[in-house]
């Protein structure tokens, strides 16, 4: 009886898993995998790719320069799977890996120890081809000719790697890898380690290749002719969130009569080298938090003493990928498919990166090309003036004539030369040293709490960062009120509360009950991931909380408000919320009415089916079957080859013996 | 551990048995049929013993390691006894079938002797037993890794292959000895087969000290091989004639066709 079989059944029983126990003896599966995936646009593919049956390599930890030599030239067991310490994750090392055939893949340790002073995998000139500056508009300012916005950018996120790159965020998992390396792969006295060696296999095979045009063409062919269509890539998409101080009729598209609107905007998304990792604290959260605090400060006053103009608040999704959200909104406005159109827009104020002010002044960026027009110039100067009044903050405009930083406002300028400003904490290039990277987190924003605070106390503690953002929010709120034509006497009532800001700040820092801060990557939206992204929902519900009114509708009425004559589905949206938790844990749900709406944020290129468009974003994300990683031991090739040789011996004498059976068995 | 190990272990485990099949059994359809029937009988015995084992494990206390080890030993012993019981059952069935075959066939002599049946049924038992022993392990040997990351011995695959080879050949020899003992009513022969089968199965509990399990198994294998050779009608003189290639002269001298 095969004892092994019995053992197999017993182990299967113990572990409760149906897979073979021999497999468990061989492989250690790594649970938390953070891959780098392939993204495509009209002309290129970026990101990482593995072969379809995974890439295997002998582990080697890259800690010193001699390790780099070992991996790239002198090590006797190529290909290697590199465990890269944080300090070595830079452009020069990754390019050398890319050009070498001895590297099977890279696993990068993500930690703060050994982190360089700056790290930005984004390009030096973000969104340079889809902004407003081009050959025909401000050609001397295009392509960051005037000011390089992200000089610390090394462009790693936009390189194409033919091996998988994973991130190791979990310290325990990194420890497992290190232990395996130390037990089996360490060099003793400079000589090569002996077999068996510890190896790792990474699976992250991407289905899409070349560019979006190719991928969408193949997907269309599949959809048309295949019984079981295999989609290869999906456009990046999600939702923009918008609201207004006076409700707008959502079913009346096109020009809104008698509406002059001041737009206040910020972005909702971020990105990094790895998939779905984008803490984006300074890059995005600072803007979101400021705009939410602005709305909280401004909204009550606009209901009591409404200014003549409407104020339209908008959070744009997908701005990191060639302005997906803002280009879609502008496109809808021009096509008369939105609640307002470009003729309704009076001016625009955008909040850029405002978190790293550190007590210094705030900067107002404007577009010099449109300001060559007298009337636009006057309006912009007026707007600047309003920002400088009535605040404790100093605001300045940059001394040299320089272009706008990358911002959603650029897409509006492409359609119409409206007056507008972009607020930022930087004069020329970004002060954010970790722009669009995994290290742009709460620590980067200097959100620190005194030691010994409980989580509940932290929720209401006013950090310095919160106070700084609250000041910016007060400034923005007051100037928006003035810009909308409101009276100066009401301005003193407009103040942002740092407590609200600190609570909102909690969305940017890790919390005990959550496994890490929320990530702001746009993702694939409703077609693939269900309803909107969690961050989009979060902002939507906070806005509903800040600007909405509680009604006493029942749940069914809340879901079908058009049946009631007092409610108007065109002007408002209705949310059935679960309410705060009471003392004994029960919740009393209720219906909130607010003028907060979601609008689709998918690039117009996909509606127009112009997959190779130069004007709109064409970013898509590849599909894949499985992304996983595992480690195991590998034996030497000699041992593998020796075993079949043994077998030859047994076969040779067989035929001879069978021919002699008669003689062998005669009595 | 890659394709090379897969093929190596497959050939080690099944090579001799497949060679035996190809050169001595494949040409005669009757032998093939009895081989497959033998394999089926072994399969039924495995099914019964797994059923009993499964039920006892479900009833038992899953957290107690000693109880589980005890159950494992019980399962092994029960399985060995059931296999031998089914071997006996197959012997009785073959005896009955032989009478029937004789009645049906045109010739006077039996189309297949009981000794050939013993060999064929033993080999059938061996094939099925080997398959269940090693196929699971072979499929995992195809992947890129080898056993050892948790500290187990690296020689897992090759030891399993050699053990399987021994088991297959042992089943063949046990078959021959068993049937011969039943024919001659030598019950101590039956006992020896059962006991040696128990010893070989239980000695695998010594694993992962593979030398502790493989060496006794191969010693028993050589002993059983010699015994089976003698049971089948061989002798030392015939062996010497065969090996020194004087068999042709011997046959001519005795007017026997080659």
């Amino acid at each position: 009886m095969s004892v092994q079989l019995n053992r197999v059944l017993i182990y299967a029983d113990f572990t409760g898993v149906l897979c073979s126990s021999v497999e468990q003896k061989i492989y250690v599966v790594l649970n938390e995998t953070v891959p780098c995936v392939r993204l495509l646009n009209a002309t290129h593919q970026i990101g990482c790719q593995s072969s379809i049956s995974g890439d295997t390599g002998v582990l080697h930890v890259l800690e010193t320069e001699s390790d780099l030599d070992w991996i790239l030239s002198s090590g006797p067991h190529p290909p290697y799977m590199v465990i890269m310490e944080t300090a070595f994750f830079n452009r020069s090392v990754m390019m050398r890996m890319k050009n070498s055939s001895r590297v099977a893949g890279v696993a990068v340790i993500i930690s703060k120890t050994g982190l360089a002073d700056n790290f930005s995998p984004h390009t030096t000139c973000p969104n340079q081809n889809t902004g407003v500056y081009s050959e025909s508009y401000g050609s001397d300012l295009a392509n960051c000719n005037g000011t390089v916005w992200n000089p610390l950018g090394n462009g790693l996120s936009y390189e194409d790697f033919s091996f998988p790159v994973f991130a190791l965020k979990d310290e325990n998992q990194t420890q497992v890898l290190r232990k395996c390396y130390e037990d089996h792969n360490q060099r003793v006295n400079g000589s090569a380690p002996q077999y068996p060696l510890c190896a790792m296999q990474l699976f992250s095979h991407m289905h899409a290749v070349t560019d979006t045009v190719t991928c969408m063409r193949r997907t269309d062919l599949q959809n048309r002719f295949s019984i079981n269509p295999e989609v290869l890539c999906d456009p990046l998409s999600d939702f923009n969130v918008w609201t207004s101080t006076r409700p707008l009729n959502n079913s009346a598209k096109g020009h809104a009569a008698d509406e002059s609107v001041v737009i206040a905007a910020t972005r909702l998304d971020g990105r990094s080298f790895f998939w779905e990792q984008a803490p984006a604290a300074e890059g995005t959260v600072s803007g979101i938090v400021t705009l939410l605090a602005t709305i909280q400060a401004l909204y009550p006053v606009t209901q009591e003493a409404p200014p003549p103009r409407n104020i339209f608040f908008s959070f744009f999704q997908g701005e990191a990928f060639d302005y997906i959200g803002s280009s879609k909104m502008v496109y809808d406005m021009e096509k008369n498919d939105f609640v307002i159109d470009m003729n309704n827009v009076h001016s625009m104020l955008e909040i850029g990166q405002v978190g790293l002010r550190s007590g210094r002044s705030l900067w107002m960026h404007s577009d010099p090309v449109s300001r060559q027009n007298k009337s636009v110039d006057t309006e912009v100067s007026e707007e600047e003036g309003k920002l400088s009044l009535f605040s404790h903050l100093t605001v300045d405009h940059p001394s040299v004539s320089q272009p706008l930083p990358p911002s959603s406002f650029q897409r509006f300028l492409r359609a119409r030369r409206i007056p507008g400003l972009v607020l930022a904490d930087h004069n020329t290039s970004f002060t954010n040293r970790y722009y669009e990277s995994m290290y742009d987190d709460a620590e980067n924003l200097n959100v620190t709490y005194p030691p010994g605070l409980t989580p509940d106390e932290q929720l209401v503690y006013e950090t310095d960062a919160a106070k700084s953002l609250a000041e910016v929010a007060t400034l923005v709120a007051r100037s928006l009120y003035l810009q909308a034509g409101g009276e100066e006497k009401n301005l003193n009532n407009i103040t942002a509360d740092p407590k609200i800001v600190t609570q909102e700040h909690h969305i940017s820092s890790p919390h005990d009950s959550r496994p890490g801060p929320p990530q702001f990557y746009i993702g694939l939206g409703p077609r693939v991931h269900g309803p909107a992204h969690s961050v989009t929902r979060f902002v939507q519900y906070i806005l509903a909380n800040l600007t909405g009114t509680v009604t006493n509708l029942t749940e069914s009425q809340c879901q079908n408000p058009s049946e009631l004559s007092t409610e108007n589905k065109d002007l408002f949206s209705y949310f059935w919320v679960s309410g705060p938790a009471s003392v004994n844990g029960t919740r009393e749900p209720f219906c909130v009415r607010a003028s907060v709406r979601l609008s689709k944020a998918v690039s117009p290129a996909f509606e127009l089916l112009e997959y190779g468009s130069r004007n709109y974003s064409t970013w898509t994300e590849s599909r894949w079957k499985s992304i996983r990683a595992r480690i195991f031991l590998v034996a030497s090739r000699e041992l593998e080859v020796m075993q079949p040789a043994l077998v030859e011996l047994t076969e040779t004498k067989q035929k001879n013996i069978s021919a002699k059976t008669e003689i062998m068995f005669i009595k | 551990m890659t394709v090379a190990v897969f093929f190596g272990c497959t050939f080690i485990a099944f090579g001799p048995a497949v060679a035996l099949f190809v050169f001595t059994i494949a040409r005669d359809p009757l032998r093939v049929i009895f081989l497959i029937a033998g394999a089926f009988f072994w399969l039924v015995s495995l099914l019964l013993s797994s059923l009993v084992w499964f039920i006892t494990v479900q009833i038992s206390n899953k957290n107690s390691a000693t109880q589980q080890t005890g159950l494992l030993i019980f399962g092994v012993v029960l399985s060995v006894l059931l296999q031998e019981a089914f071997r006996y059952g197959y012997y009785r069935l073959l005896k009955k079938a032989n009478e029937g075959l004789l009645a049906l066939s045109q010739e006077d002599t039996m189309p297949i002797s009981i000794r050939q049946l013993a060999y064929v049924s033993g080999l059938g038992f061996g094939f099925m037993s080997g398959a269940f022993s090693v196929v699971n392990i072979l499929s995992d040997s195809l992947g890129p890794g080898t056993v050892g990351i948790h500290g187990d011995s690296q020689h897992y695959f090759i030891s399993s292959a050699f053990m399987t080879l021994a088991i297959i050949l042992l089943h063949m020899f046990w078959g021959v000895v068993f049937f011969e003992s039943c024919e001659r009513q030598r019950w101590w022969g039956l006992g020896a087969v059962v006991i040696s089968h128990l010893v070989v199965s239980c000695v695998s509990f010594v694993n992962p000290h593979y030398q502790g399990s493989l060496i006794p198994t191969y010693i028993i294998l050589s002993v059983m091989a010699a015994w089976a050779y003698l049971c089948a009608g061989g002798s030392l003189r015939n062996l010497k004639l065969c090996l020194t290639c004087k068999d042709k002269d011997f046959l001519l001298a005795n007017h026997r066709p080659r």
Side-chain angles (χ1 to χ4, degrees):
Chain A
M1 167 61 184
S2 104
V3 183
Q4 287 98 335
L5 178 61
N6 260 337
R7 284 230 169 95
V8 165
L9 292 170
I10 280 192
Y11 287 135
D13 223 21
F14 275 153
T15 58
V17 173
L18 279 163
C19 71
S20 140
S21 76
V22 181
E23 211 178 323
Q24 283 160 15
K25 276 188 205 274
I26 304 177
Y27 302 108
V28 172
V29 175
L30 303 178
N31 290 325
E32 306 284 322
T33 52
V34 178
C36 142
V37 300
R38 176 171 278 172
L39 293 160
L40 309 104
N41 70 0
T43 48
H44 288 85
Q45 63 183 24
I46 64 174
C48 318
Q49 167 76 308
S50 85
S51 45
I52 193 157
S53 51
D55 280 309
T56 312
V58 172
L59 279 182
H60 197 85
V61 175
L62 177 52
E63 293 168 303
T64 61
E65 276 301 317
S66 65
D67 287 322
L68 196 55
D69 272 322
W70 184 262
I71 292 168
L72 294 176
S73 48
S74 52
H77 312 119
Y80 283 98
M81 186 63 71
V82 182
I83 311 254
M84 194 179 272
E85 292 280 359
T86 318
F88 280 86
F89 188 44
N90 53 42
R91 190 179 174 83
S92 65
V93 172
M94 287 302 283
M95 286 297 123
R96 286 177 74 180
M97 301 263 158
K98 181 178 168 175
N99 293 330
S100 161
S101 59
R102 290 166 53 106
V103 174
V106 175
V108 182
I109 298 178
I110 304 289
S111 80
K112 293 293 173 94
T113 55
L115 179 60
D117 181 45
N118 60 76
F119 179 75
S120 170
H122 212 75
T123 49
T124 49
C125 195
N127 293 340
Q128 65 190 69
N129 297 321
T130 40
V132 69
Y133 301 107
S134 63
E135 291 303 311
S136 53
Y137 187 102
S139 53
D140 53 327
L141 300 169
N143 299 324
C144 289
N145 222 344
T147 315
V148 177
W149 294 110
N150 188 27
L152 303 169
N154 55 31
L156 270 181
S157 291
Y158 289 83
E159 289 289 334
D160 180 33
F161 294 99
S162 57
F163 51 76
V165 181
F166 277 48
L168 300 172
K169 281 173 75 177
D170 185 2
E171 182 53 43
N172 294 335
Q173 209 170 78
T174 315
Q175 207 36 48
V176 168
L177 291 174
R178 275 195 213 272
K179 183 154 188 326
C180 193
Y181 171 74
E182 278 157 23
D183 287 342
H184 299 102
N185 294 19
Q186 201 116 64
R187 278 189 270 168
V188 179
N189 296 336
S191 66
Q194 296 297 315
Y195 277 106
L197 296 172
C198 195
M200 182 154 75
Q201 187 174 31
L202 297 179
F203 296 82
S204 68
H205 179 71
M206 301 287 136
H207 295 174
V209 280
T210 322
D211 54 31
T212 296
V213 179
T214 309
C215 170
M216 293 305 283
R217 183 186 73 225
R218 291 178 183 175
T219 303
D220 287 340
L221 276 171
Q222 286 273 335
N223 281 333
R224 236 180 292 164
F225 296 118
S226 173
I227 298 175
N228 209 4
E230 179 99 11
V231 175
L232 297 172
C233 59
D234 300 289
L236 294 177
S237 77
D238 194 53
F239 293 94
N240 300 323
V241 185
W242 62 264
T243 183
S244 52
T245 49
R246 279 207 303 266
L248 292 164
N249 190 346
N250 200 32
S251 52
K253 309 280 186 190
H255 183 81
D258 301 323
E259 283 279 358
S260 176
V261 166
V262 176
I263 301 181
T266 188
R267 60 185 290 199
L268 253 187
D269 74 321
R271 69 161 305 195
S272 77
F273 185 79
F274 298 100
W275 180 62
E276 292 227 321
Q277 302 297 310
E282 155 71 348
T284 303
V285 175
S286 61
I288 297 176
V289 164
T290 308
L291 195 57
L292 286 174
T294 306
I295 295 171
Q296 176 262 328
L298 193 50
Y299 205 77
V301 179
T302 55
Q303 303 306 303
E304 283 170 15
R309 297 197 187 95
N310 204 347
I311 308 178
F312 181 91
F313 301 97
S314 177
F315 296 78
F316 292 116
Q317 182 68 278
E319 299 302 274
F321 292 102
D322 290 333
Y323 307 120
I324 296 177
S326 50
S327 64
K328 172 75 166 125
M329 188 175 275
V330 171
Y331 175 75
D332 283 343
M333 282 185 184
E334 288 182 312
K335 242 182 15 153
N336 291 329
D337 201 14
F338 196 62
V339 292
I340 51 176
D341 72 352
M342 292 305 286
N343 292 324
N344 289 116
V345 178
H346 171 261
S347 56
M348 186 158 168
L349 178 64
E350 179 166 345
I351 304 181
Q353 304 181 70
V354 292
L356 288 178
R357 204 165 46 88
S358 323
R360 294 187 299 263
S361 56
L362 209 56
W363 300 92
M364 306 176 285
H365 295 267
S366 56
D367 170 41
V369 177
S370 62
R371 284 183 85 165
Q372 285 162 4
N373 178 328
K374 240 1 198 129
S375 62
V376 175
D377 188 38
T378 332
E379 301 235 8
V380 177
S381 306
E382 267 182 38
E383 203 176 337
E384 283 178 348
K386 282 166 192 151
L387 271 169
S388 321
L389 292 173
F390 299 109
S391 77
H392 313 292
L393 231 50
T394 45
V395 270
D396 258 324
H397 45 225
S399 42
V400 273
S401 161
Q402 69 178 3
L404 282 171
S407 50
S408 318
F409 178 45
Q410 289 199 21
R411 292 302 301 198
F412 282 82
L413 271 182
R414 264 173 92 124
R416 177 86 55 104
R417 297 190 188 198
I418 53 174
L421 289 174
V422 177
L423 281 178
D425 57 18
H426 55 88
N427 181 5
T428 48
S429 30
F430 296 153
T431 41
N432 188 357
R433 297 191 320 276
Y434 299 101
Y435 183 63
E436 308 283 37
S437 82
M438 288 182 73
Y439 302 105
D440 187 7
D441 52 13
E443 217 178 297
N444 189 28
L445 264 185
N446 295 327
V447 174
T448 47
Y449 299 95
L453 283 187
T454 67
D456 285 332
E457 285 169 2
Q458 280 183 4
L459 201 56
V460 293
Y461 179 77
E462 294 175 18
T463 58
D464 291 335
K467 288 186 200 154
S468 163
L469 287 181
E471 283 177 1
V472 177
T474 309
L475 168 74
V476 171
R478 290 182 181 182
S479 63
L480 277 175
Y481 189 72
L482 287 178
Q483 187 76 358
E487 292 166 30
E488 281 182 29
K489 63 176 165 71
N490 296 319
L491 281 184
N492 286 331
N493 298 334
I494 302 177
T495 319
D497 184 1
K499 276 208 179 44
I500 302 278
V501 177
T502 214
Q503 284 175 4
E504 287 159 3
H505 247 153
H506 252 65
I507 66 176
S508 144
S509 37
H511 199 261
D512 283 328
S513 59
R514 260 192 288 112
Q519 307 296 339
F520 291 80
Y521 176 67
I522 173 176
L524 298 177
R527 249 195 298 172
V528 180
H529 281 165
H533 194 223
S534 63
V535 169
T536 315
R537 280 268 172 235
F538 180 73
V539 169
Q540 184 190 21
Y541 279 94
I542 291 193
L543 278 180
N545 188 347
L546 290 175
T547 63
T549 45
V550 179
T551 63
N552 50 7
L553 298 175
T554 63
E555 187 175 354
S556 55
Q557 285 173 335
C558 201
Q559 272 146 13
N560 292 317
S562 39
E563 293 166 8
L564 293 168
S565 57
T566 48
E567 307 298 339
N568 190 340
K569 219 171 141 185
D570 293 329
L571 290 180
F572 300 102
S573 13
Y574 293 82
F575 303 92
W576 184 249
V577 297
S578 63
S582 65
V583 176
N584 50 358
T586 56
R587 290 177 188 263
E588 282 207 23
F590 50 90
C591 187
V592 173
R593 177 183 64 212
S595 56
V596 177
R597 301 240 181 229
L598 297 178
S599 86
K600 198 101 181 53
V602 66
S603 170
F606 295 99
E607 281 182 28
L608 297 167
L609 302 182
E610 288 170 15
Y611 302 127
S613 165
R614 298 273 160 188
N615 299 323
Y616 298 110
S617 163
T618 48
W619 286 103
T620 52
E621 185 187 273
S622 167
R623 283 214 184 175
W624 57 83
K625 278 263 157 55
S626 78
I627 291 190
R628 50 199 169 95
R630 56 186 185 177
I631 56 172
F632 45 86
L633 295 188
V634 284
S636 65
R637 287 210 59 79
E638 289 78 25
L639 189 61
E640 291 173 18
V641 171
M642 185 256 292
Q643 292 176 71
L646 283 173
V647 178
E648 300 306 308
L649 303 170
T650 52
E651 314 295 317
T652 48
K653 279 296 168 193
Q654 199 66 49
K655 194 149 194 233
N656 288 340
I657 293 173
S658 68
K660 301 197 177 181
T661 37
E662 290 88 355
I663 188 64
M664 283 187 57
F665 296 107
I666 295 173
K667 269 270 192 275
Chain B
M1 207 171 113
T2 74
V3 178
V5 169
F6 171 76
F7 280 114
C9 288
T10 309
F11 291 144
I12 288 175
F14 291 108
V18 169
L20 280 169
F21 177 82
V22 166
F23 291 124
T24 61
I25 297 181
R27 247 173 285 167
D28 187 347
L30 209 52
R31 293 185 193 176
V32 174
I33 291 169
F34 283 117
L35 179 117
I36 294 174
F40 175 71
F41 264 71
W42 188 92
L43 200 55
V44 174
S45 86
L46 178 69
L47 177 67
L48 275 177
S49 48
S50 343
L51 209 62
V52 172
W53 183 85
F54 183 75
I55 293 172
T56 48
V57 162
Q58 292 299 325
I59 314 175
S60 75
N61 174 15
K62 299 224 174 99
N63 295 325
S64 155
T66 44
Q67 217 180 76
Q68 295 300 320
T69 323
L71 264 180
L72 192 58
I73 297 175
F74 163 71
V76 168
V77 170
L78 175 70
S79 178
V80 168
L81 295 175
L82 270 175
Q83 281 175 58
E84 297 305 328
F86 268 75
R87 208 196 294 274
Y88 184 69
Y90 194 43
Y91 167 74
R92 302 292 315 206
L93 185 69
L94 285 178
K95 289 291 279 182
K96 280 225 163 76
N98 242 353
E99 292 161 18
L101 272 175
L102 192 59
L104 279 175
S105 76
Q106 259 81 22
E107 300 156 26
D108 292 331
T109 53
M110 300 230 284
I112 182 166
S113 77
I114 198 71
R115 276 196 188 144
Q116 288 174 8
L117 280 176
Y119 160 65
V120 155
S121 73
L123 196 55
F125 268 52
F127 265 123
M128 201 46 109
S129 165
F132 269 80
S133 291
V134 93
V135 155
N136 195 18
I137 297 170
L138 285 179
S139 79
D140 283 315
S141 74
L142 267 175
T146 185
V147 173
I149 197 164
H150 294 295
D152 305 300
S153 160
Q154 250 203 100
H155 300 111
Y156 184 75
F157 291 129
I158 196 163
S159 317
S160 305
F162 274 111
M163 190 68 174
T164 308
L165 168 65
I167 298 267
I168 295 177
L169 294 178
L170 271 171
H171 267 290
M172 185 178 69
F173 298 139
W174 284 328
V176 171
V177 172
F178 193 95
F179 278 37
E180 184 72 14
S181 305
C182 283
E183 287 285 296
R184 301 275 173 90
Q185 313 270 330
R186 287 207 292 238
W187 307 115
W188 57 270
L190 279 188
V193 165
V194 174
I195 290 181
S196 63
H197 193 166
L198 274 172
V199 168
V200 166
S201 288
C202 290
V203 93
S204 68
F205 281 106
V206 180
N207 287 340
H209 300 289
Y210 295 119
Q211 51 276 47
S213 66
L214 280 175
I215 293 176
T217 307
Y218 273 85
I219 292 174
I220 294 181
L221 175 68
S222 12
V223 167
M224 292 305 302
W227 190 355
Y229 178 62
L230 291 171
C231 280
S235 67
L236 215 51
R237 184 181 65 134
N238 295 347
L239 193 60
K240 246 193 280 187
L241 278 173
C242 199
L243 288 174
T244 52
C245 294
K246 291 211 178 88
D247 52 327
K248 228 200 242 171
D249 307 325
F250 178 79
L251 285 171
L252 277 172
N254 284 289
H255 305 295
R256 278 204 163 96
R258 184 145 170 80

